Amino acid sequence: MFPAGPAPWPRLRVQRALWALLVVLLAPWRLRAIQETQECTWQVVLNNLESVGKNDAIDHFVDQELYTVDKVFDLLVDAPIDRDEVRRLGAAEWERSWSCTLLGSGRLLTISLQTYLGFPYYLKINYSCTGDVSSEALVRKGHLTGLKPVVLVTFQSPVNFHRWKIEQLQIQMEAAPFRSPAERCDAEEVCLMSWYTPMPIKNGSVVMRVDVSSNGLGPFIPNKRFRVNINGFLERQRDHELQFTVGNELFHLIPRYFVNVPSRPLWYTVDQTPVLILGGIPEEKTVLLTDTNFKDFFLVELSIDSCWVGSFYCPQASFTATIYDAIATESTLFIRQNQLIYYFTGAYTTLYESNHGSERWVRVLANECIKRLCPVHFHSNGSEYVMALTTGKNEGYVHFGTITDGLVSFKLLPRNRSVCSAILVVNCSITWAVFVAGDYNLLMLVEIVGPTSSKYFQVVSYDLVNDHLVVLYTIPEFIPDARGLEFLMILGTESYTKFPMVPKGMSYNPYNNLLLIWGNFLLQSFNSENFIYLADFPKELSIKYLVNSFQGDMAIVTENEEIWYLLEGSYQVYQLFPSKAWEVYINLQVLQQSSLYATNETMVTLFYEDKKLYQLVYLIDNQQGRLVKRLMPVEQLLMYQQISDGYVLERQGSHLTLSFSNFCPFTVMRLRELPSPQIYTRQERYRAQPPRVWEPWGFHSENSLAVYQGLVYYLLKLHSKYDKPYADPVHDSTWRWWKNKKQDQDYYFYLASNWRNAGSVHVDMTSYEKIYDLKAENELPERIFLDKGTSYNFSVFLTARKPGIQHGPSFQVLNPLDLAVVLADPDCIEAVVKEKVLVNRNSVLFWVTLSDKRSCFDQGISGHHLMKTSMLVKVLGSSGHCFQNTNQGLRMQSNLMVPVLIGCPPGKRLALDITYTLQYNRVQNKHYFDCVKVDPEMPCFLFRDIFYPFFLIQDLVTGDSGSFQGRPPPAAQPQTKLGLQAPPTRPRPRRSSQASANSSPPVA
């Protein structure tokens, strides 16, 4: 067995009892077995329309069609809704219809008649707390004390930006309370209740993040994030039961599937994959599938033919049903069984204009002998990629797979000759391959057999554009002798041990250009030519796979299931399991009687989610097996390890006392003066609140929830319709909704104040809007966009651990605090750091300015072909030593890695200014002729007249709008908000037979 925890439970040794006890006493309140404050957490499940109000209903996101909700909107006679959008139906108004009508940007799918539509699902929200109080009573208490959950849905941008518009879209909704009609409750006014919000969908997005927070009233409940992804591999049968299209679901977790089975990596396209797949179950063509990042999962037996074709060019020692390699992309799953690979494309109507879903598993490269699949973690150029390494007749080639809109194609690389021929060797084999999308480069780890049967390895680069292949680096034959150092630069002059280097794979981070070669060693390089040997990793171990967060850290899993940890930018490798720190942590979990740990457990896989490391573990407890997803407590383990390494026992009188050394050079680290985030994060956010109801306790009905669905749909529909090549008179996508209703706002308020609204529902115009003024939080954003010399400024405040100031030519803190900013591409971006010593506070304030140098990106389409790079802010000497205690646990400080995207950011456009163009042309030409068939959004111009077009540069994220002068505006030129457009200069006239407002203008 490969345990993920010690078995049996270890006993603390006597010499560690004192400091281990102190760890318990000093642990945050959330770690104590007896807590004075209740610890609460949000609970979110998906409900379809038929499940609303049912207590135990949990649905998966399968249906992608919209529903008509005109029946309830017909009742809203005196309401500020667009009556022209309401289509009156007959009796079958609640039937599922208009399956082609989906929501999003890019190519807007239309129907013949407009209607208010609703989404197929709701989010049902509750919360639970520790203690003996029932969840139902807690929810009632929260409602009566004013608690209202706030839900923020973030739509992931699609892969294919050629089909869909690239945008960072969010919608913030307040949840509506709903009383369950499932049972009669005579004793209380409220028996069972929950909160509900619509679960919106949009074209091009199959991955959604749902962040739930409190409105600040009622009990304290920390924010929590959920994954709500569309599962295109499930289909609804005629009896409304769900069935997998990839195989048959199994309902029993047999112990032999997991016990004594090595862990395996989880491979997928980062941030784009709605359904994850994990193979490795021995002698079974069975996989684990999940659309919630293993919050729940399915065990599925795949419906593949399980062929085994052996021949003289494809040697196979034996046949097995095991699925060895499994890779998930946005729409397609890939697996390898024996030497064959298969793929299956899910049914995602939100991604394609027509359904490209597979009816069965497709065997590809059937005549090839495939020994391994290699993942490509990031998409590029509107496609995703996967690589298949061959053996036998095509040894030395890579089958490079491209997935675009669910369509899969492979090509053989290199194009003209094999790698072996290109590097002038007779016998070679490709062990691993990495695709660097930004450079259209393929890096290959090549094993070469010399004339004397000796083996050595080289890193070979292949340029896909120029069909050029070059050897970048020859890996040393033996492991270097570091002589007690943490790292060693490989220069060729160092001495070596007798341990041979055995490379097994490579890993590449496109944000910081870090290439790692791993095996029974770790080599890292930032230019793929000069390598550093990390000596902390034992040469006696062998790495099985790496797990990269692509946010500045990674986990390492060895062949004997040990877990190690590496912070990028440092050279120290930490052992997390097994370790003394792990033993202490396990004992604390035993004290709390945690259900996430058992005496017998096996790690299935390890993966990152939202910058946190998670384990999928198979537990056997009371002879019952189960799979659980649990947090890998990296920060706590590092802190416990630091305490165990830095304590001394001192005798004071007749007793011993403990004293600890804190290796963190500062006590306080704060980020200050962060700018407004939207201009850098490019997040477009809408706000929606439920319609007001007249029920005395504030509970909504099914009709009012349906109105909420229609209002959210229409809000997002206005967002998608605003994606057009001409500008509205007011630069706001919601302007058309209320433009003819604003003058009646007082009248609607009068009706609502006197409870005279038709349908007992009031729609407040101010509750549906686009937000342009989000405030910065006390942390760096998830990513930032820079373009044309723009800068991002912030400050870092540090308080030294030891008080005291050294006087001299300049004031200095006795315990020096140095801040370093590491740039992945200094040719493209630059950083300036200024320091100010605060003498009276024993602190230092650093101002950091990150700027684009205008040298790595020229003109381009908004959001397309952005260059990936990064900035790492670190306090020297603090890596792995500094932690902050928050209400959600420990958080590591001092290493702040921010991805940076350089280029024309999403959310900007060049639009024809129809309003001013019409006005100016009418004045200049002394007359105006409209089209024969008048269309207010597509005016016509007389061909004999001189046509004077005016254009606007508009920012859809911040609301800025200014006239286009044919050149980038000066940095000091002010931009206007929300349609208050600066008067344009006189344009150069040009002759035109006819110009219409829907003509596509040039793109800047």
Side-chain angles (χ1 to χ4, degrees), residues 312-370:
F312 70 94
Y313 68 84
C314 188
Q316 288 284 330
S318 61
F319 167 80
T320 178
T322 306
I323 306 298
Y324 280 111
D325 299 330
I327 301 175
T329 66
E330 184 183 46
S331 61
T332 308
L333 303 178
F334 290 85
I335 60 170
R336 179 181 69 88
Q337 184 191 52
N338 299 307
Q339 82 284 7
L340 300 177
I341 60 175
Y342 302 80
Y343 74 85
F344 195 104
T345 300
Y348 288 105
T349 56
T350 57
L351 289 179
Y352 329 121
E353 292 182 351
S354 60
N355 187 7
H356 293 166
S358 303
E359 295 182 357
R360 63 183 64 88
W361 285 93
V362 179
R363 190 196 309 172
V364 65
L365 303 176
N367 296 323
E368 298 291 335
C369 188
I370 306 301

Side-chain angles (χ1 to χ4, degrees), residues 508-537:
Y508 181 79
N509 187 343
Y511 287 106
N512 59 6
N513 306 316
L514 177 62
L515 175 65
L516 279 169
I517 305 176
W518 46 268
N520 60 340
F521 61 93
L522 272 174
L523 287 177
Q524 72 174 27
S525 173
F526 290 96
N527 60 4
S528 303
E529 296 179 1
N530 302 309
F531 284 83
I532 297 175
Y533 169 66
L534 303 184
D536 278 353
F537 185 77

Side-chain angles (χ1 to χ4, degrees), residues 619-658:
L619 307 179
I620 298 181
D621 195 8
N622 296 326
Q623 297 183 348
Q624 297 292 326
R626 54 193 174 95
L627 274 174
V628 299
K629 172 187 174 182
R630 72 188 186 195
L631 180 68
M632 187 70 182
V634 175
E635 292 82 3
Q636 288 175 280
L637 295 177
L638 293 180
M639 186 185 70
Y640 294 164
Q641 181 176 332
Q642 178 178 317
I643 293 176
S644 65
D645 294 338
Y647 77 95
V648 292
L649 288 174
E650 297 179 352
R651 179 171 296 278
Q652 293 186 359
S654 60
H655 60 277
L656 296 175
T657 60
L658 279 170

Side-chain angles (χ1 to χ4, degrees), residues 652-673:
Q652 293 186 359
S654 60
H655 60 277
L656 296 175
T657 60
L658 279 170
S659 63
F660 296 90
S661 298
N662 196 322
F663 298 101
C664 183
F666 57 85
T667 59
V668 175
M669 179 179 181
R670 295 193 184 99
L671 297 178
R672 294 181 171 181
E673 303 175 81

Side-chain angles (χ1 to χ4, degrees), residues 821-823 829-833 848-851 853 871:
V821 178
V822 182
L823 303 178
I829 55 178
E830 62 181 354
V832 177
V833 181
V848 181
T849 300
L850 177 69
S851 303
K853 298 175 69 173
M871 169 187 67

Side-chain angles (χ1 to χ4, degrees), residues 7-18:
W9 299 111
R11 296 183 178 180
L12 290 177
R13 298 183 178 90
V14 176
Q15 59 266 31
R16 294 207 301 271
L18 291 176

Side-chain angles (χ1 to χ4, degrees), residues 293-538:
N293 282 29
F294 289 105
K295 179 186 176 184
D296 52 30
F297 58 88
F298 305 95
L299 187 66
V300 180
E301 183 182 33
L302 303 182
S303 54
I304 57 177
D305 48 20
S306 298
C307 290
W308 175 55
V309 181
S311 65
F312 70 94
Y313 68 84
C314 188
Q316 288 284 330
S318 61
F319 167 80
T320 178
T322 306
I323 306 298
Y324 280 111
D325 299 330
I327 301 175
T329 66
E330 184 183 46
S331 61
T332 308
L333 303 178
F334 290 85
I335 60 170
R336 179 181 69 88
Q337 184 191 52
N338 299 307
Q339 82 284 7
L340 300 177
I341 60 175
Y342 302 80
Y343 74 85
F344 195 104
T345 300
Y348 288 105
T349 56
T350 57
L351 289 179
Y352 329 121
E353 292 182 351
S354 60
N355 187 7
H356 293 166
S358 303
E359 295 182 357
R360 63 183 64 88
W361 285 93
V362 179
R363 190 196 309 172
V364 65
L365 303 176
N367 296 323
E368 298 291 335
C369 188
I370 306 301
K371 63 179 179 181
R372 172 173 292 143
L373 288 179
C374 289
V376 178
H377 296 290
F378 291 92
H379 64 93
S380 66
N381 198 30
S383 300
E384 298 168 281
Y385 308 97
V386 66
M387 292 175 291
L389 306 185
T390 64
T391 186
K393 66 175 183 178
N394 280 328
E395 189 79 60
Y397 287 94
V398 175
H399 288 280
F400 190 77
T402 303
I403 308 100
T404 306
D405 281 345
L407 303 178
V408 180
S409 62
F410 280 87
K411 60 182 177 181
L412 195 65
L413 297 178
R415 291 192 286 268
N416 296 322
R417 53 178 177 171
S418 70
V419 173
C420 305
S421 301
I423 61 177
L424 305 178
V425 298
V426 177
N427 192 357
C428 78
S429 175
I430 302 176
T431 303
W432 199 273
V434 170
F435 178 56
V436 184
D439 301 328
Y440 289 94
N441 227 5
L442 191 64
L443 299 180
M444 294 168 285
L445 180 62
V446 181
E447 180 183 2
I448 303 170
V449 179
T452 61
S453 298
S454 60
K455 296 181 180 180
Y456 62 98
F457 292 82
Q458 289 183 335
V459 178
V460 178
S461 173
Y462 173 68
D463 190 332
L464 275 70
V465 177
N466 300 319
D467 192 28
H468 177 66
L469 191 143
V470 62
V471 177
L472 295 181
Y473 183 69
T474 300
I475 299 175
E477 185 178 356
F478 296 98
I479 291 180
D481 186 2
R483 300 182 183 274
L485 300 176
E486 287 185 354
F487 67 94
L488 185 66
M489 177 71 75
I490 304 298
L491 300 175
T493 59
E494 55 280 343
S495 59
Y496 292 87
T497 66
K498 295 183 180 180
F499 283 85
M501 271 192 167
V502 185
K504 297 177 62 177
M506 297 189 299
S507 175
Y508 181 79
N509 187 343
Y511 287 106
N512 59 6
N513 306 316
L514 177 62
L515 175 65
L516 279 169
I517 305 176
W518 46 268
N520 60 340
F521 61 93
L522 272 174
L523 287 177
Q524 72 174 27
S525 173
F526 290 96
N527 60 4
S528 303
E529 296 179 1
N530 302 309
F531 284 83
I532 297 175
Y533 169 66
L534 303 184
D536 278 353
F537 185 77

